[in-house]
Amino acid sequence: MTKDGAPALRMDSVRKVYPTGDEEVVALDHATLTIDHEEIVALVGPSGSGKTTLCSIAGGILSPTAGTVVVAGADITGYSARRLTDFRREHVGFVFQTVNLVPFLTARENLLVVDEIGRRTGAPARKRADQLLEELGLAGRGRHLPATLSGGQRQRVAIGRALMNDPDLVLFDEPTSALDTQLGEQVMELIRDEMNSRGIAAVVVTHDERMTHYADRTVHITDGVLEGSPPR
Amino acid sequence: MRLALREMRRQPGRFATAVALLTLIAMLLMLLGGLLDGLIQRSTGAIRAQPADLVVFSAASEHSFLRSRISPEIRARVAAVPGVTRVGGIGVSQLAARVPGNGPRDLVDVALFGYEEAPSGLPSPPAAGRAYADRVFEDQGVKKGDTLSLGPARTPVRVIGFVEDVSYSGAGTLWASPQTWRDVQDANRPGSSVGAGVFQALVVRTSGDASAVARRIDRATGGATVTVSRADAADAIGGVRQQRSVFNQIIGVTLVIAIVVVALFFALLTVERIGLYGMLKAIGARSRTLFGGVVVQAVVVALMAATIGSGFALLLDRTLPPGTIPYQLLPNRLIVSSIALVLAAVVGSAFSLRRVLRVDPASAIGRSS
Ligand SMILES: Nc1ncnc2c1ncn2[C@@H]1O[C@H](COP(=O)(O)OP(=O)(O)OP(=O)(O)O)[C@@H](O)[C@H]1O
Ligand SMILES: [Mg+2]
């Protein structure tokens, strides 16, 4: 799956500075993190600590101010915006904190968006979408619009979409923050099972310490500085 | 692109305003175009019907039949020019005519042509005092066999048949022999009567390159003539150029309005979609793909508007009673108007390009509210 058994993610001394007006905000500093393939890492930290920033850099949405980022053996640090776009489409899965689904597309079509924005494959993509919906317990909901789905179902559709491109790394930014505890646990369990069965590495951002036991390892972040806990 | 089309199918209401506005614009475009074509047609029919590649006027006439005179000597020189295959004289008198059965003050404008070479739809010139009449006179109550009284002298001319699309300068025409024309001119316009063998202009058929022949004719007459193509002669008819330029300006302004409408509409739509575009970019959609979707939507909106507008134009063509508004439906006009509208939509949607490019994929991730 990953090139030459390279880790799914290797971040080395990554620094991210946002220029805001006259001041600069250091959102991430000396972040060094390696995630093996098939490993699920929980990223926990208070609001504004840099969790989203770390995910954005790991997934090639943002470029770091300094340091190197290697995803599945590909050093994406110096990639152009255009190349990063293509890289995200082909190698990374995202489940975002807020806007996730296209409101005028059905659940199934939201999965197929991944195929439509890239080099279209057609039938194989449709087959994969149907299979994912089935696995995620959405077999009967494929033709529903997001507005007619429950919060948990919507999040499951988003997870399905993140898996459509058979990624090397999936980044979940607070996937359960909009759900109640019980639903949140269900979704976390689903994430763990899906990742494990496919052998895909993942970063799961959460506020909630109770969710961390679904991960192989928990990394804490405070004011842009990482502080790892040893693998369980 | 699939995404863009699907959005239109799922949420047609979002695009209804744009379709409605562009449909009104399309109707206006086609109405204006149809009026222009109708006006031009009613001005130029007599010239377009001429069996000629070239029309020869006298110098300094500024392509006006009224001011132009061609003597038999000049005509002979024109006829001798290599490349000239046929030459016919032509003259016209513009008068008011009384129609039998109509009131004494109910005059109609008439242009009586004397011709040698038969225009399309006409046989060779009829006998003296007779004329073929423009079909438009039928709508004004003229019947075959009627005798019209022309001008202040009330010169009688009998209508012996009708012919289509030969109006001149907005007036219906009568087509008579050169002698009938000279008689009418002598009786009603004694100040500008024409002698035997004199015409106002010549219609010339050529073989080979017509513009080269035109130059040769003017050289052969020592600059006594100005020879132009039939199309230029038609354009030179009073008002044609002005009508065309005024209408084209209005059509141009209408297209600019179409561009503005599309630009504003899709700019608003793009602002609404910033979150969606950010998310799609984050999962790997290129700006080009997203912008392509905007253009596709604008083109579809324009095509719908053009289709409804064309339907309106066809309906207008069917329902307008003949002889009222000079509205003429030409297939070319519908096609050109539709293409212009689609191009306006593409240009208008291009104003959203910068906004689409500027959407930051990072905006999709995070920001919990
Ligand atoms: N685009 C930006 N411009 C300027 N500053 C930013 C930007 N994005 C984030 N920041 C700042 O960087 C820091 C880290 O932000 P980040 O969104 O990564 O935090 P977070 O841990 O995801 O927070 P939350 O739990 O609230 O989502 C914060 O101080 C934030 O204000
Ligand atoms: Mg965040």
Side-chain angles (χ1 to χ4, degrees), chain A residues 58-90:
Chain A
I61 287 177
L62 284 177
S63 291
T65 313
T68 48
V69 183
V70 182
V71 178
D75 185 348
I76 62 169
T77 317
Y79 276 19
S80 66
R82 165 83 174 273
R83 240 182 125 188
L84 278 176
T85 303
D86 295 345
F87 185 81
R88 292 196 299 271
R89 190 174 61 241
E90 273 145 34

mmCIF file of all heavy atoms in Angstrom, chain A residues 58-90:
data_model
loop_
_atom_site.group_PDB
_atom_site.id
_atom_site.type_symbol
_atom_site.label_atom_id
_atom_site.label_comp_id
_atom_site.label_asym_id
_atom_site.label_seq_id
_atom_site.Cartn_x
_atom_site.Cartn_y
_atom_site.Cartn_z
ATOM 1 N N ALA A 58 -0.503 17.891 7.182
ATOM 2 C CA ALA A 58 -0.285 16.466 6.930
ATOM 3 C C ALA A 58 -0.986 16.022 5.647
ATOM 4 O O ALA A 58 -0.512 15.145 4.930
ATOM 5 C CB ALA A 58 -0.794 15.647 8.114
ATOM 6 N N GLY A 59 -2.136 16.630 5.370
ATOM 7 C CA GLY A 59 -2.902 16.224 4.192
ATOM 8 C C GLY A 59 -2.614 17.044 2.959
ATOM 9 O O GLY A 59 -3.267 16.874 1.927
ATOM 10 N N GLY A 60 -1.658 17.976 3.044
ATOM 11 C CA GLY A 60 -1.298 18.741 1.852
ATOM 12 C C GLY A 60 -2.266 19.847 1.510
ATOM 13 O O GLY A 60 -2.320 20.305 0.373
ATOM 14 N N ILE A 61 -3.061 20.277 2.472
ATOM 15 C CA ILE A 61 -3.940 21.423 2.218
ATOM 16 C C ILE A 61 -3.172 22.716 2.463
ATOM 17 O O ILE A 61 -3.352 23.693 1.751
ATOM 18 C CB ILE A 61 -5.201 21.347 3.111
ATOM 19 C CG1 ILE A 61 -6.134 20.247 2.593
ATOM 20 C CG2 ILE A 61 -5.935 22.678 3.139
ATOM 21 C CD1 ILE A 61 -7.367 20.043 3.436
ATOM 22 N N LEU A 62 -2.316 22.696 3.462
ATOM 23 C CA LEU A 62 -1.444 23.837 3.742
ATOM 24 C C LEU A 62 0.000 23.400 3.574
ATOM 25 O O LEU A 62 0.329 22.236 3.768
ATOM 26 C CB LEU A 62 -1.633 24.308 5.193
ATOM 27 C CG LEU A 62 -2.875 25.098 5.558
ATOM 28 C CD1 LEU A 62 -2.867 25.372 7.059
ATOM 29 C CD2 LEU A 62 -2.915 26.402 4.789
ATOM 30 N N SER A 63 0.848 24.344 3.220
ATOM 31 C CA SER A 63 2.278 24.049 3.178
ATOM 32 C C SER A 63 2.916 24.571 4.452
ATOM 33 O O SER A 63 2.547 25.635 4.935
ATOM 34 C CB SER A 63 2.912 24.724 1.964
ATOM 35 O OG SER A 63 2.459 24.088 0.799
ATOM 36 N N PRO A 64 3.882 23.835 4.999
ATOM 37 C CA PRO A 64 4.512 24.295 6.244
ATOM 38 C C PRO A 64 5.434 25.480 5.985
ATOM 39 O O PRO A 64 5.934 25.650 4.882
ATOM 40 C CB PRO A 64 5.315 23.072 6.695
ATOM 41 C CG PRO A 64 5.594 22.317 5.444
ATOM 42 C CD PRO A 64 4.422 22.554 4.530
ATOM 43 N N THR A 65 5.630 26.296 7.030
ATOM 44 C CA THR A 65 6.569 27.406 6.922
ATOM 45 C C THR A 65 8.002 26.868 6.940
ATOM 46 O O THR A 65 8.875 27.361 6.237
ATOM 47 C CB THR A 65 6.378 28.379 8.105
ATOM 48 O OG1 THR A 65 4.983 28.633 8.238
ATOM 49 C CG2 THR A 65 7.115 29.673 7.888
ATOM 50 N N ALA A 66 8.224 25.822 7.738
ATOM 51 C CA ALA A 66 9.529 25.161 7.762
ATOM 52 C C ALA A 66 9.314 23.700 8.106
ATOM 53 O O ALA A 66 8.271 23.313 8.613
ATOM 54 C CB ALA A 66 10.442 25.821 8.801
ATOM 55 N N GLY A 67 10.339 22.874 7.825
ATOM 56 C CA GLY A 67 10.237 21.448 8.115
ATOM 57 C C GLY A 67 9.834 20.658 6.881
ATOM 58 O O GLY A 67 9.611 21.229 5.816
ATOM 59 N N THR A 68 9.755 19.330 7.035
ATOM 60 C CA THR A 68 9.407 18.486 5.896
ATOM 61 C C THR A 68 8.201 17.616 6.231
ATOM 62 O O THR A 68 7.993 17.222 7.373
ATOM 63 C CB THR A 68 10.569 17.556 5.491
ATOM 64 O OG1 THR A 68 11.062 16.923 6.679
ATOM 65 C CG2 THR A 68 11.690 18.303 4.820
ATOM 66 N N VAL A 69 7.426 17.342 5.199
ATOM 67 C CA VAL A 69 6.245 16.477 5.321
ATOM 68 C C VAL A 69 6.350 15.395 4.260
ATOM 69 O O VAL A 69 6.467 15.682 3.072
ATOM 70 C CB VAL A 69 4.946 17.278 5.113
ATOM 71 C CG1 VAL A 69 3.739 16.368 5.314
ATOM 72 C CG2 VAL A 69 4.893 18.476 6.043
ATOM 73 N N VAL A 70 6.343 14.143 4.706
ATOM 74 C CA VAL A 70 6.409 13.028 3.765
ATOM 75 C C VAL A 70 5.177 12.158 4.002
ATOM 76 O O VAL A 70 4.959 11.663 5.111
ATOM 77 C CB VAL A 70 7.697 12.205 3.977
ATOM 78 C CG1 VAL A 70 7.774 11.068 2.955
ATOM 79 C CG2 VAL A 70 8.922 13.101 3.880
ATOM 80 N N VAL A 71 4.367 12.031 2.972
ATOM 81 C CA VAL A 71 3.149 11.213 3.086
ATOM 82 C C VAL A 71 3.336 9.961 2.242
ATOM 83 O O VAL A 71 3.568 10.051 1.031
ATOM 84 C CB VAL A 71 1.900 11.989 2.626
ATOM 85 C CG1 VAL A 71 0.669 11.100 2.698
ATOM 86 C CG2 VAL A 71 1.710 13.234 3.489
ATOM 87 N N ALA A 72 3.276 8.812 2.873
ATOM 88 C CA ALA A 72 3.415 7.535 2.177
ATOM 89 C C ALA A 72 4.629 7.527 1.253
ATOM 90 O O ALA A 72 4.563 7.091 0.110
ATOM 91 C CB ALA A 72 2.139 7.218 1.381
ATOM 92 N N GLY A 73 5.732 8.043 1.757
ATOM 93 C CA GLY A 73 6.970 8.007 0.997
ATOM 94 C C GLY A 73 7.141 9.163 0.032
ATOM 95 O O GLY A 73 8.205 9.332 -0.559
ATOM 96 N N ALA A 74 6.122 10.006 -0.154
ATOM 97 C CA ALA A 74 6.231 11.133 -1.079
ATOM 98 C C ALA A 74 6.485 12.406 -0.280
ATOM 99 O O ALA A 74 5.674 12.782 0.564
ATOM 100 C CB ALA A 74 4.962 11.267 -1.908
ATOM 101 N N ASP A 75 7.624 13.051 -0.567
ATOM 102 C CA ASP A 75 7.943 14.305 0.116
ATOM 103 C C ASP A 75 7.158 15.434 -0.550
ATOM 104 O O ASP A 75 7.490 15.888 -1.644
ATOM 105 C CB ASP A 75 9.447 14.578 0.019
ATOM 106 C CG ASP A 75 9.843 15.820 0.816
ATOM 107 O OD1 ASP A 75 8.944 16.584 1.238
ATOM 108 O OD2 ASP A 75 11.061 16.012 1.018
ATOM 109 N N ILE A 76 6.080 15.862 0.118
ATOM 110 C CA ILE A 76 5.200 16.849 -0.507
ATOM 111 C C ILE A 76 5.550 18.273 -0.083
ATOM 112 O O ILE A 76 4.852 19.212 -0.453
ATOM 113 C CB ILE A 76 3.716 16.570 -0.165
ATOM 114 C CG1 ILE A 76 3.468 16.677 1.355
ATOM 115 C CG2 ILE A 76 3.287 15.201 -0.683
ATOM 116 C CD1 ILE A 76 1.992 16.671 1.717
ATOM 117 N N THR A 77 6.653 18.435 0.635
ATOM 118 C CA THR A 77 6.974 19.749 1.198
ATOM 119 C C THR A 77 7.061 20.828 0.127
ATOM 120 O O THR A 77 6.530 21.913 0.286
ATOM 121 C CB THR A 77 8.309 19.694 1.958
ATOM 122 O OG1 THR A 77 8.339 18.505 2.737
ATOM 123 C CG2 THR A 77 8.476 20.896 2.860
ATOM 124 N N GLY A 78 7.708 20.498 -0.988
ATOM 125 C CA GLY A 78 7.925 21.532 -1.992
ATOM 126 C C GLY A 78 6.912 21.519 -3.122
ATOM 127 O O GLY A 78 7.097 22.200 -4.122
ATOM 128 N N TYR A 79 5.848 20.746 -2.979
ATOM 129 C CA TYR A 79 4.871 20.639 -4.066
ATOM 130 C C TYR A 79 4.195 21.975 -4.339
ATOM 131 O O TYR A 79 3.909 22.748 -3.421
ATOM 132 C CB TYR A 79 3.779 19.614 -3.704
ATOM 133 C CG TYR A 79 4.130 18.172 -3.992
ATOM 134 C CD1 TYR A 79 5.450 17.761 -4.157
ATOM 135 C CD2 TYR A 79 3.126 17.216 -4.096
ATOM 136 C CE1 TYR A 79 5.752 16.436 -4.407
ATOM 137 C CE2 TYR A 79 3.411 15.884 -4.346
ATOM 138 C CZ TYR A 79 4.736 15.490 -4.506
ATOM 139 O OH TYR A 79 5.026 14.195 -4.743
ATOM 140 N N SER A 80 3.895 22.221 -5.617
ATOM 141 C CA SER A 80 3.101 23.397 -5.987
ATOM 142 C C SER A 80 1.648 23.160 -5.568
ATOM 143 O O SER A 80 1.247 22.031 -5.288
ATOM 144 C CB SER A 80 3.147 23.606 -7.495
ATOM 145 O OG SER A 80 2.501 22.521 -8.140
ATOM 146 N N ALA A 81 0.875 24.237 -5.538
ATOM 147 C CA ALA A 81 -0.534 24.129 -5.137
ATOM 148 C C ALA A 81 -1.271 23.123 -6.025
ATOM 149 O O ALA A 81 -2.062 22.304 -5.566
ATOM 150 C CB ALA A 81 -1.207 25.496 -5.224
ATOM 151 N N ARG A 82 -0.973 23.187 -7.302
ATOM 152 C CA ARG A 82 -1.614 22.309 -8.268
ATOM 153 C C ARG A 82 -1.273 20.839 -7.997
ATOM 154 O O ARG A 82 -2.126 19.959 -8.006
ATOM 155 C CB ARG A 82 -1.141 22.746 -9.654
ATOM 156 C CG ARG A 82 -1.388 21.791 -10.767
ATOM 157 C CD ARG A 82 -2.805 21.956 -11.289
ATOM 158 N NE ARG A 82 -2.998 21.128 -12.441
ATOM 159 C CZ ARG A 82 -2.720 21.497 -13.687
ATOM 160 N NH1 ARG A 82 -2.235 22.683 -13.919
ATOM 161 N NH2 ARG A 82 -2.934 20.674 -14.688
ATOM 162 N N ARG A 83 0.025 20.595 -7.701
ATOM 163 C CA ARG A 83 0.453 19.221 -7.461
ATOM 164 C C ARG A 83 -0.114 18.710 -6.143
ATOM 165 O O ARG A 83 -0.467 17.535 -6.023
ATOM 166 C CB ARG A 83 1.982 19.162 -7.417
ATOM 167 C CG ARG A 83 2.532 18.231 -8.488
ATOM 168 C CD ARG A 83 4.015 18.150 -8.417
ATOM 169 N NE ARG A 83 4.435 16.747 -8.299
ATOM 170 C CZ ARG A 83 5.694 16.391 -8.066
ATOM 171 N NH1 ARG A 83 6.621 17.305 -7.893
ATOM 172 N NH2 ARG A 83 5.998 15.102 -7.971
ATOM 173 N N LEU A 84 -0.229 19.624 -5.185
ATOM 174 C CA LEU A 84 -0.824 19.233 -3.905
ATOM 175 C C LEU A 84 -2.284 18.832 -4.090
ATOM 176 O O LEU A 84 -2.755 17.854 -3.507
ATOM 177 C CB LEU A 84 -0.738 20.391 -2.899
ATOM 178 C CG LEU A 84 0.579 20.562 -2.155
ATOM 179 C CD1 LEU A 84 0.536 21.794 -1.276
ATOM 180 C CD2 LEU A 84 0.901 19.320 -1.310
ATOM 181 N N THR A 85 -2.991 19.603 -4.935
ATOM 182 C CA THR A 85 -4.398 19.282 -5.211
ATOM 183 C C THR A 85 -4.518 17.862 -5.756
ATOM 184 O O THR A 85 -5.334 17.056 -5.293
ATOM 185 C CB THR A 85 -4.980 20.293 -6.225
ATOM 186 O OG1 THR A 85 -4.827 21.601 -5.704
ATOM 187 C CG2 THR A 85 -6.448 20.014 -6.480
ATOM 188 N N ASP A 86 -3.683 17.564 -6.737
ATOM 189 C CA ASP A 86 -3.727 16.222 -7.324
ATOM 190 C C ASP A 86 -3.339 15.155 -6.300
ATOM 191 O O ASP A 86 -3.920 14.070 -6.268
ATOM 192 C CB ASP A 86 -2.784 16.147 -8.540
ATOM 193 C CG ASP A 86 -3.263 17.059 -9.665
ATOM 194 O OD1 ASP A 86 -4.426 17.501 -9.599
ATOM 195 O OD2 ASP A 86 -2.473 17.320 -10.591
ATOM 196 N N PHE A 87 -2.361 15.502 -5.468
ATOM 197 C CA PHE A 87 -1.916 14.542 -4.455
ATOM 198 C C PHE A 87 -3.038 14.236 -3.462
ATOM 199 O O PHE A 87 -3.294 13.075 -3.132
ATOM 200 C CB PHE A 87 -0.692 15.097 -3.713
ATOM 201 C CG PHE A 87 -0.099 14.125 -2.735
ATOM 202 C CD1 PHE A 87 0.758 13.121 -3.162
ATOM 203 C CD2 PHE A 87 -0.428 14.190 -1.378
ATOM 204 C CE1 PHE A 87 1.291 12.212 -2.266
ATOM 205 C CE2 PHE A 87 0.098 13.274 -0.478
ATOM 206 C CZ PHE A 87 0.964 12.284 -0.921
ATOM 207 N N ARG A 88 -3.704 15.281 -3.017
ATOM 208 C CA ARG A 88 -4.826 15.069 -2.081
ATOM 209 C C ARG A 88 -5.885 14.181 -2.702
ATOM 210 O O ARG A 88 -6.428 13.293 -2.066
ATOM 211 C CB ARG A 88 -5.472 16.425 -1.713
ATOM 212 C CG ARG A 88 -4.607 17.341 -0.896
ATOM 213 C CD ARG A 88 -5.443 18.443 -0.267
ATOM 214 N NE ARG A 88 -6.117 19.309 -1.212
ATOM 215 C CZ ARG A 88 -5.599 20.412 -1.734
ATOM 216 N NH1 ARG A 88 -4.372 20.785 -1.388
ATOM 217 N NH2 ARG A 88 -6.284 21.153 -2.584
ATOM 218 N N ARG A 89 -6.183 14.452 -3.968
ATOM 219 C CA ARG A 89 -7.240 13.700 -4.634
ATOM 220 C C ARG A 89 -6.885 12.216 -4.714
ATOM 221 O O ARG A 89 -7.737 11.350 -4.606
ATOM 222 C CB ARG A 89 -7.485 14.271 -6.033
ATOM 223 C CG ARG A 89 -8.725 13.703 -6.696
ATOM 224 C CD ARG A 89 -8.999 14.399 -8.008
ATOM 225 N NE ARG A 89 -7.902 14.233 -8.938
ATOM 226 C CZ ARG A 89 -7.182 15.228 -9.451
ATOM 227 N NH1 ARG A 89 -7.457 16.462 -9.137
ATOM 228 N NH2 ARG A 89 -6.203 14.981 -10.289
ATOM 229 N N GLU A 90 -5.586 11.936 -4.901
ATOM 230 C CA GLU A 90 -5.209 10.552 -5.147
ATOM 231 C C GLU A 90 -4.746 9.786 -3.911
ATOM 232 O O GLU A 90 -4.814 8.570 -3.891
ATOM 233 C CB GLU A 90 -4.133 10.500 -6.240
ATOM 234 C CG GLU A 90 -4.771 10.461 -7.628
ATOM 235 C CD GLU A 90 -3.960 11.226 -8.666
ATOM 236 O OE1 GLU A 90 -2.721 11.224 -8.567
ATOM 237 O OE2 GLU A 90 -4.589 11.829 -9.569
#
